[in-house]
């Protein structure tokens, strides 16, 4: 294993450990967020209020040493409130560009489904091309750039569901889930011990090193049989009788990137089928549109992915 990939695994583990000082009992979620960051992908958290979605994003930003901005999405938020706008400078007699909060390394788009589609769409170019166009001028975003968005599955009154095209631009969609009783007791114990709400988080890395870690993931080997396994999983979502629209090729790309990152986090320079299985639901399920009759019955996209994983023959590599 190369020194670069060994370093990626070590630094990724150190960041996960640091975040676990704040987020109790969610090691698997934290590791998956780290996989998403190493894959240079956008992440959507969907879960109930108060489950530390925003806190987790804040904590990762601190541990990564990255420039962090937060935008609270509301019905009256305008696209220019995110991207920035041209402002007239009376002294110079010309317009100058004033950057919006999107010009950062890690953007928290809080309650993204509370803003109308026009405002949600302001993120599309940034999420895919890592740039923002205002007027006729295109402005590059700093590297690394990714957005972590949150939305609640309840309180749907006055919300605007994300269109499928935008969901497809999120590399992973996940939930945090409630802590168990022992973990919740530990949360209270730590709060009493530190005598304040804020938690001190050590900075482990910096933006330049994060970019280097993302580039190092490109050296993780993927056997042709494993590549075929990824494609077969995605292709079967298009053939499933319960699915109206299957995953786009972005789904297989996401499987490739996240599986490589998962392998590096586990101390390997090659991808195994287990790496693909561990990440498949998070990377592909949100890209499916189920047929209405199955949605009414309460079928979840994740169940379809799990069925596909059981059906597709696992390669031996």
């Amino acid at each position: 294993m190369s020194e670069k990939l060994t370093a990626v695994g070590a630094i990724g583990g150190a960041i996960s450990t640091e975040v676990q000082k704040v987020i109790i009992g969610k090691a698997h979620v934290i590791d998956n967020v780290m996989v998403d960051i190493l894959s240079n992908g956008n992440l959507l958290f969907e879960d109930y209020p108060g489950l530390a979605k925003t806190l987790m994003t804040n904590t990762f930003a601190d541990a990564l040493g990255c420039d962090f901005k937060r935008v609270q999405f509301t019905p009256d938020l305008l696209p220019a409130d995110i991207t920035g706008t041209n402002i007239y400078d009376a002294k110079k007699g010309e317009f100058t560009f004033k950057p919006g909060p999107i010009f950062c390394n890690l953007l928290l788009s809080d309650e993204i489904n509370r803003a109308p589609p026009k405002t949600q769409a302001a993120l599309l170019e940034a999420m895919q091309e890592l740039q923002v166009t205002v007027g006729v001028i295109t402005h590059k975003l700093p590297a690394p750039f990714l957005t972590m968005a949150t939305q609640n599955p309840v309180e749907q009154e006055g919300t605007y569901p994300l269109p499928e095209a935008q969901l497809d631009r999120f590399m992973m969609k996940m939930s945090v889930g409630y802590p168990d009783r022992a973990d919740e007791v530990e949360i209270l114990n730590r709060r009493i011990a530190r005598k304040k709400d804020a938690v001190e988080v050590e900075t482990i890395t910096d933006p330049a090193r994060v970019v280097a870690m993302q580039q190092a993931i490109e050296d993780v080997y993927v056997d042709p049989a494993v590549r075929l396994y990824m494609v077969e999983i995605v292709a079967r979502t298009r053939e499933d009788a319960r699915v109206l629209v299957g995953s786009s090729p972005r789904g297989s790309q996401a499987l490739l990137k996240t599986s490589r990152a998962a392998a590096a986090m586990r101390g390997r320079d090659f991808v195994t089928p287990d790496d693909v299985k561990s990440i498949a639901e998070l990377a592909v399920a949100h890209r499916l549109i189920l047929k209405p009759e199955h949605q009414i019955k309460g079928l979840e996209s994740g169940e379809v992915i799990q069925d596909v994983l059981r059906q597709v023959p696992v390669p031996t590599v």
Side-chain angles (χ1 to χ4, degrees), residues 50-119:
L51 295 184
K53 302 185 295 293
T54 303
L55 178 61
M56 186 176 296
T57 307
N58 269 314
T59 308
F60 263 102
D62 290 341
L64 290 166
C66 287
D67 183 23
F68 170 77
K69 297 281 173 54
R70 176 181 183 272
V71 177
Q72 180 66 48
F73 279 62
T74 57
D76 61 347
L77 191 72
L78 298 173
D81 296 331
I82 301 171
T83 60
T85 188
N86 291 317
I87 294 179
Y88 185 72
D89 188 329
K91 289 183 180 177
K92 295 181 180 178
E94 61 184 29
F95 284 91
T96 57
F97 178 64
K98 183 180 180 183
I102 202 169
F103 286 85
C104 63
N105 299 124
L106 181 55
L107 176 72
L108 172 59
S109 305
D110 221 356
E111 296 189 299
I112 190 171
N113 57 336
R114 293 207 172 279
K118 181 171 72 172
T119 304

Side-chain angles (χ1 to χ4, degrees), residues 123-275:
L123 286 174
L124 285 173
E125 184 184 12
M127 291 168 71
Q128 188 64 33
E129 280 89 30
L130 305 180
Q131 62 186 30
V132 169
T133 302
V134 178
V136 295
I137 306 297
T138 296
H139 307 270
K140 290 288 183 184
L141 293 171
F145 171 81
L146 60 98
T147 182
M148 292 189 186
T150 71
Q151 64 179 17
N152 299 328
V154 292
E155 304 172 17
Q156 293 301 331
E157 236 179 278
T159 62
Y160 305 83
L162 289 173
E164 287 75 18
Q166 186 147 12
L167 277 174
D168 205 28
R169 281 170 167 83
F170 285 100
M171 186 164 289
M172 293 168 66
K173 179 184 176 184
M174 68 175 72
S175 62
V176 179
Y178 287 108
D180 60 30
R181 286 176 171 80
D183 290 330
E184 200 153 359
V185 168
E186 180 62 18
I187 290 170
L188 300 185
N189 291 344
R190 293 193 187 186
R191 173 60 183 82
I192 290 169
R194 67 176 179 265
K195 300 183 185 299
K196 58 181 180 179
D197 287 334
V199 183
E200 302 290 330
V201 178
E202 185 182 342
T203 300
I204 304 296
T205 184
D206 56 66
R209 190 176 293 180
V210 173
V211 171
M213 290 166 69
Q214 292 171 341
Q215 290 170 345
I217 297 299
E218 297 294 332
D219 294 334
V220 176
Y221 176 72
V222 186
D223 189 88
V226 177
R227 295 176 215 170
L228 189 60
Y229 181 57
M230 295 174 183
V231 171
E232 187 65 23
I233 290 169
V234 172
R236 293 222 184 177
T237 66
R238 301 166 193 157
E239 300 162 359
D240 194 292
R242 299 164 293 179
V243 178
L244 184 64
V245 180
S247 172
S248 71
R250 278 203 191 105
S252 49
Q253 291 271 2
L255 272 182
L256 173 68
K257 293 178 182 178
T258 54
S259 298
R260 280 175 143 182
M265 284 287 289
R266 291 163 186 159
R268 280 185 278 101
D269 60 358
F270 60 92
V271 173
T272 68
D274 282 341
D275 294 324

Side-chain angles (χ1 to χ4, degrees), residues 5-28:
L5 284 174
T6 303
V8 168
I11 296 169
I15 293 169
S16 293
T17 301
E18 196 64 27
V19 175
Q20 286 176 52
K21 292 179 183 178
V22 181
I23 310 296
I24 313 299
K26 296 296 175 184
H28 64 292

